Amino acid sequence: MRKLEDCEQPTRTVTFFKRKLQDVIHKISTSDAAAGTVTSVDRTVCMAKTVRLMAEPKENVVMEKIVSLCKRRGFIYQSSEIYGGINGFWDYGPLGVELKRNVKELWWNVMTHQRDDVAGLDATIIMHPQIWKASGHVDTFTDPMIDCKTCKGRFRADQTSEIPCPQKPSKMVSECHGEKTAPRAFNLMFQTHVGPVQDDSTIAYLRPETAQAIFAQFKNVLETSRQKVPFGIAQIGKAFRNEVTPRNFTFRSREFEQMELEFFIKPDEVVEAISGRIEGPAPAGSSPEPQPGWGWEAWHKYWVEERIRFYEGIGLSRATLEEYWQKPEELAHYARATVDILFKFPFGTQELEGIAARSDFDLSQHARCSGKSMGVFDDELRGAWSKLEESKKKELGERYYKARLNYLTRTGMDAAEAEKQARGDSENLAKGQYIPHVIEPSAGVDRLILALICNAYSEDQMPDEKGKLETRVVLKFHPRVAPIKVGVMPLLKNKPELVRKALEVRDLLRPHMNVFYDDAGAIGRRYRRQDEAGTPFCVTIDFETLEGIKEGPLSGRKDTVTVRYRDDGRQDRMAITELVDFLVPKIR
Ligand code: ATP
């Protein structure tokens, strides 16, 4: 999770984390590290994420197999491959695009359709450049970068122990003897120009995250959706970051998609004024209904749990995930808590999603930089406030005042002006006005796709048609995300009656799910092809379908088919008329 600082006053507001990182980089670059002056605190603060990465093996056989399968089966190709490719950009092939669409649709469904308190948004990629000034991206969305004068390579300074030296891949960049420059900050935003004139006044940026559009449109959505705080705005869309070293297949790309929710909540002082107290978080692992008395902590934990349950629902068990609670010294100054949900990739345990409690920082920034109010009016608060005892009004007002003052002071505002504004904000509580806080679950689509493929990849032994055991590669996707839900196959291609019946079955299933019709080659080969594509079910039309079952309790019954299960190769026989009711609940 990169930390963003306030606009206009980056130097005054550089976080502890950033200062420490720069400190350590400086020490490393000036060889103090060798003399032992990099303290353990420095290391804990700055290398917390990279420690996990350092366990990566230099060669990763599983990843090699997965990358090769992705290309061979049409999940993921390198972008612009015919021209030698372009680093950090990936295309999704026929199976990949289906997998991706399924994941995005499931996220959208869970986050919006299944709830009353979330509305959707689809904003533009290029927005007013002031948005990125207000968010802090223009000034501080940077990674530390070094150049190697020997090999002419360019690397992220905090990842040199994970990146092999281009000239001597047996060594990591940190171990090789190339002459390195001192680290410098590199802004990750891609720049472009809007309109025919290309000068500083026309600079615009490809968005590095989808979240800021949500903040910028907060008031419009609030007014047009008839939502009231607490409520959320969800968006799925492309984001662009000019990563210094894109790596680990699609994990760190330069163009990727995000699925982000900004869930706006009342500040704790407002909740307390209305409900009389702040309710603590529900016990871990439970799935409670949101309560009016929830403060930010309960909402934050709620969303962490919701998101983990989402991952479980699409096949990533808790055992494959880890929660990483950022330490206080790692948090951005505006964040109250941040949890990274990590997945155990073959190349290390790394972030899939971040869930941050971001206070009222983002809306406050846009209010300040645009001059437009981002506050809301809450009649319930006004009513409740008027009934509070004077001492309670004073206590809550003072707490709100301090939080606002803290924010305003960090913007670099003159002290007297900051006090005046914070006092005004606090007095507004009595009128029912406040700036909402936000909880932000922010997930990467591409990282999730990679996690699902890594999780599904499996090799096992299956008998071939002659009963001889052979190794098969199978993608054990959860049926909800599987690109193809069912393969429909006539036993033989050259028997028109079988083909006719199989096409009937295909057409019966098609309105309900993605069906792949396959009549080419031996049936065992066709099953293997579907195993590699991750298709959970295959339906086969054979002679017993036409002539009736030869023996057993269903003897003589026509129009039955075999349903083969991908994971264990088991087969059941059932009537064609039962297929839809049998398959649909399994894929939804
Ligand atoms: P990292 O620390 O790995 O660079 P981040 O903390 O900067 O990630 P956020 O800014 O929190 O990431 O973005 C939210 C999510 O967007 C991440 O959890 C990740 O899933 C996804 N994401 C961010 N950067 C990339 C990238 N370069 N390629 C693919 N997905 C990304």
Side-chain angles (χ1 to χ4, degrees), residues 1-2 49 156 241 243 250-253 256 258 260 351-354 442-444 446-447:
M1 178 75 60
R2 288 190 182 90
K49 277 192 171 181
R156 247 175 81 168
R241 295 183 187 178
E243 297 282 355
T250 57
F251 179 84
R252 188 169 299 288
S253 306
F256 54 96
Q258 289 185 314
E260 294 196 295
E351 178 179 329
L352 267 190
E353 167 161 0
S442 168
D446 309 75
R447 283 191 190 174

Side-chain angles (χ1 to χ4, degrees), residues 146-148 151 153-156 159-166 168-178 180 245:
I146 57 161
D147 288 329
C148 175
C151 74
R154 192 161 264 192
F155 313 98
R156 247 175 81 168
Q159 291 181 349
T160 53
S161 52
E162 305 140 37
I163 303 168
C165 165
K168 205 163 189 219
S170 62
K171 288 197 182 270
M172 294 290 136
V173 172
S174 58
E175 303 160 346
C176 77
H177 296 299
K180 322 276 181 357
T245 18

